[in-house]
């Protein structure tokens, strides 16, 4: 996710543009004619590849490289003001599929796609596909299923019935996960109160840690670690934490109880296959992040095996099976969460 000069009003930024040209025989479809050729993939990130969200994209791309399916290059720490230039350079350099996250540069990114109609773009975005950019597909980490399950565990572990939550920005990508987590908590601890705060950055561990300390001082005994830095505060104060997007339990074995994991592999694999088949078009790839698609999961309990009440684990198993079967749907709520 992007890091600079972002506000929650970005939804007003996307404007209609000139209709983009399509490629190949069918309207709106682009890609390479030969599925046997090595696909050239480039990625543009606004934060370090170690950052939670971006690290999952980077991991999936490297896995595809190891399987011999793609060539992969990337740029990290790309500023919003420089994003368009880097997109154009990769487009000119012969890359077939360009991936990244354009949450603060929607207009510029979509204009690049219109200028290079024979290239495929798969970008993290809060917007849906647009007719004027038929080669610009979007994705997001819809891991509300796993977040909900992690909430069930958190509710079973809190003693103070006070949970702290520290996020980057109150945008849909964060809000929906927080709401799902809170819904899970209420399954096992309906009387829990929540402290919700946002640090105004995608990567500022010291600020996240400071904010977490304040919530712990106010009674939180479990922290929802949407940002790096929160688990550090939890560890120092001897409270528990719930992870998001990646599993950090190895670094915090006595602190991180459970984590909602995002798996970008289904998203990237689908895009690569469609580009190779000449079938890539403007679609919403967010669906590949759903649990039933293999796009998210609950991390193993690891060091907390045997420490979570069995009743909660039974409920997690029941809900997980229902989610995968399609008989239970975790609500997607993109509104800004508030403290209780």
């Amino acid at each position: 996710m992007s890091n600079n000069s972002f506000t929650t009003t970005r939804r007003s930024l996307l404007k209609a543009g000139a209709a983009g040209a399509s490629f190949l025989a069918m309207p709106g479809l682009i890609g390479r004619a030969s599925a046997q050729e090595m696909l050239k993939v480039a990625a543009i990130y606004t934060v370090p590849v170690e950052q939670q969200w971006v690290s999952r994209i980077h991991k999936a791309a490297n896995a595809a490289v190891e399987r011999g399916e793609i060539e992969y290059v990337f740029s990290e720490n790309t500023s919003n003001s420089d994003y368009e230039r880097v997109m154009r350079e990769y487009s000119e350099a012969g890359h077939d599929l360009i991936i990244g996250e354009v949450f603060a540069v929607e207009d510029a990114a979509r204009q690049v796609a219109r200028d290079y109609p024979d290239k495929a773009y798969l970008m993290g975005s809060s917007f849906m596909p647009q007719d004027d950019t038929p080669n610009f597909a979007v994705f997001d980490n819809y891991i509300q299923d796993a977040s909900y399950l992690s909430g069930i565990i958190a509710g079973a572990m809190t003693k103070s019935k006070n949970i702290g939550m520290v996020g980057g920005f109150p945008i849909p990508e964060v809000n929906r996960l927080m709401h799902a987590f809170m819904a899970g908590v209420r399954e096992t601890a309906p009387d829990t109160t929540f402290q919700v705060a946002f640090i105004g950055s995608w990567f500022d561990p010291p600020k996240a840690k400071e904010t977490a300390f304040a919530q712990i001082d106010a009674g939180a005994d479990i922290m929802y670690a949407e940002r790096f830095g929160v688990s550090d505060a939890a560890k120092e104060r001897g409270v528990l934490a719930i992870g998001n997007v990646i599993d950090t339990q190895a670094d915090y074995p006595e602190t991180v109880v459970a984590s909602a994991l995002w798996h970008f592999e289904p998203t990237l694999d689908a895009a690569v296959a469609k580009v190779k088949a000449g079938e890539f078009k403007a679609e919403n790839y967010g669906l590949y992040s759903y649990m039933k698609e293999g796009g998210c999961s609950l991390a193993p309990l690891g060091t907390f095996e045997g420490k979570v009440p069995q009743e909660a684990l039974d409920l997690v198993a029941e809900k997980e099976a229902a989610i995968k079967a399609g008989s239970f749907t975790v609500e997607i709520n993109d509104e800004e969460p508030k403290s209780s």
Side-chain angles (χ1 to χ4, degrees):
M1 291 186 178
S2 51
N3 56 349
N4 295 321
S5 63
F6 179 87
T7 70
T8 55
T9 61
R10 78 182 186 288
R11 292 184 178 276
S12 65
L13 298 178
L14 189 61
K15 306 178 182 70
S22 58
F23 185 70
L24 296 182
M26 295 182 64
L29 302 181
I30 71 166
R32 298 169 67 92
S34 173
Q36 303 306 313
E37 296 180 55
M38 182 74 76
L39 201 72
K40 294 183 177 180
V41 177
I44 312 167
Y45 307 125
T46 63
V47 292
V49 291
E50 291 84 9
Q51 191 257 12
Q52 299 107 300
W53 199 84
V54 158
S55 72
R56 307 307 285 178
I57 303 172
H58 189 60
K59 177 177 181 288
N62 281 321
V65 170
E66 290 173 8
R67 295 195 300 269
E69 296 177 2
I70 67 171
E71 294 177 8
Y72 170 56
V73 296
F74 67 92
S75 296
E76 60 183 337
N77 291 315
T78 303
S79 66
N80 292 332
S81 60
D82 217 22
Y83 207 93
E84 179 181 357
R85 178 188 64 78
V86 178
M87 275 187 77
R88 290 186 182 279
E89 287 181 354
Y90 279 140
S91 300
E92 290 282 353
H95 298 287
D96 308 294
L97 173 64
I98 298 172
I99 59 178
E101 18 94 24
V102 298
F103 294 100
V105 290
E106 290 280 351
D107 278 341
R110 289 173 187 265
Q111 183 57 55
V112 173
R114 289 192 287 271
D115 291 343
Y116 296 90
D118 60 336
K119 301 298 180 182
Y121 300 87
L122 177 64
M123 295 292 178
S125 170
S126 294
F127 296 94
M128 289 297 103
Q130 304 291 319
D131 291 340
D132 67 344
T133 45
N135 57 332
F136 192 100
V138 300
F139 70 87
D140 211 340
N141 62 330
Y142 284 86
I143 64 169
Q144 64 280 347
D145 299 329
S147 296
Y148 169 80
L149 297 181
S150 72
I152 291 176
I153 291 175
M157 297 297 284
T158 179
K159 293 181 172 59
S160 68
K161 300 297 186 291
N162 185 325
I163 292 179
M165 306 180 72
V166 179
F169 292 94
I171 64 169
E173 294 72 27
V174 176
N175 298 345
R176 72 174 69 108
L177 306 188
M178 284 188 164
H179 279 296
F181 171 79
M182 293 161 82
V185 170
R186 293 186 183 108
E187 294 282 7
T188 44
D191 54 343
T192 296
T193 59
F194 298 92
Q195 301 179 60
V196 181
F198 299 93
I199 63 172
S201 172
W202 291 131
F203 195 73
D204 191 343
K207 189 171 184 179
K209 184 177 181 180
E210 212 176 288
T211 305
F213 277 146
Q215 294 183 343
I216 295 168
D217 289 343
D221 67 347
I222 290 185
M223 296 300 304
Y224 178 76
E226 200 272 329
R227 293 291 103 193
F228 278 154
V230 177
S231 293
D232 293 295
K235 178 181 178 180
E236 287 187 26
R237 293 294 174 86
V239 302
L240 302 178
I242 300 293
N244 179 59
V245 176
I246 62 175
D247 186 1
T248 58
Q249 191 184 75
D251 298 320
Y252 308 95
E254 304 303 319
T255 303
V256 176
V257 184
S259 298
L261 306 183
W262 183 30
H263 307 294
F264 191 70
E265 286 79 1
T267 303
L268 181 60
D269 293 350
V272 167
K274 289 185 180 183
V275 173
K276 286 186 175 181
E279 298 175 351
F280 188 89
K281 60 181 180 179
E283 294 181 278
N284 177 19
Y285 278 70
L287 301 179
Y288 291 104
S289 290
Y290 282 40
M291 184 169 281
K292 63 183 179 181
E293 300 293 339
C296 67
S297 68
L298 190 63
L301 289 177
T303 55
F304 280 85
E305 197 75 50
K307 299 178 183 178
V308 178
Q310 188 59 45
E311 190 176 87
L313 297 181
D314 291 343
L315 182 58
V316 166
E318 176 191 326
K319 293 294 186 180
E320 182 175 353
I323 288 169
K324 291 180 177 178
S327 58
F328 176 72
T329 301
V330 177
E331 180 185 2
I332 296 176
N333 183 349
D334 287 347
E335 297 301 313
E336 180 178 345
K338 303 291 185 182
S339 298
S340 301

